Amino acid sequence: MRIPTKSGAEKAPIPPDEIVRRFSAQEDAYARALGNYTYRRTVRLEELGPDGRPAGQSEVVSEIVVGDDGSRRQRPVSRSDSTLHVLELEPDALEALGRMATFPFGESQVSDYNFVYQAAEPVTT
């Protein structure tokens, strides 16, 4: 779906600056909390067959650990044998995907962007 470049005629239910402020405050809280936890991360790639069901997969499980010096590192836990049929991956490709960092969008970054409220759209399920 293409996002229009001109703002919609509809007025924001909350002032756009307040929407951005609340969102970025939540992201700052997320970034602070993330440093207090360790967790397991599973990266799974599945191929679907013509019937829409999984036909092959490859999976890597790693965990984030905190070292004695406080640094955070990813440690491999397990790796499944690949049963992919169409896609060929290098052995460490899924591990590389798992190393992608999260980038919270905090208050310190807001001034680097120009936000324009476009309009509200109802969400249907």
Side-chain angles (χ1 to χ4, degrees), residues 28-70:
D28 284 339
Y30 164 71
R32 285 189 301 276
L34 189 61
N36 296 323
Y37 293 96
T38 61
Y39 53 90
R40 279 195 176 201
R41 176 183 291 168
T42 301
V43 178
R44 179 183 305 126
L45 178 64
E46 288 185 337
E47 289 179 341
L48 301 179
D51 60 357
R53 293 187 148 164
Q57 81 171 24
S58 184
E59 178 179 285
V60 172
V61 178
S62 59
E63 59 186 15
I64 306 302
V65 295
V66 179
D68 293 336
D69 60 356

Side-chain angles (χ1 to χ4, degrees), residues 90-106:
E90 294 293 322
D92 63 346
L94 288 180
E95 288 176 15
L97 285 172
R99 284 191 298 271
M100 293 178 75
T102 58
F103 295 102
F105 186 76

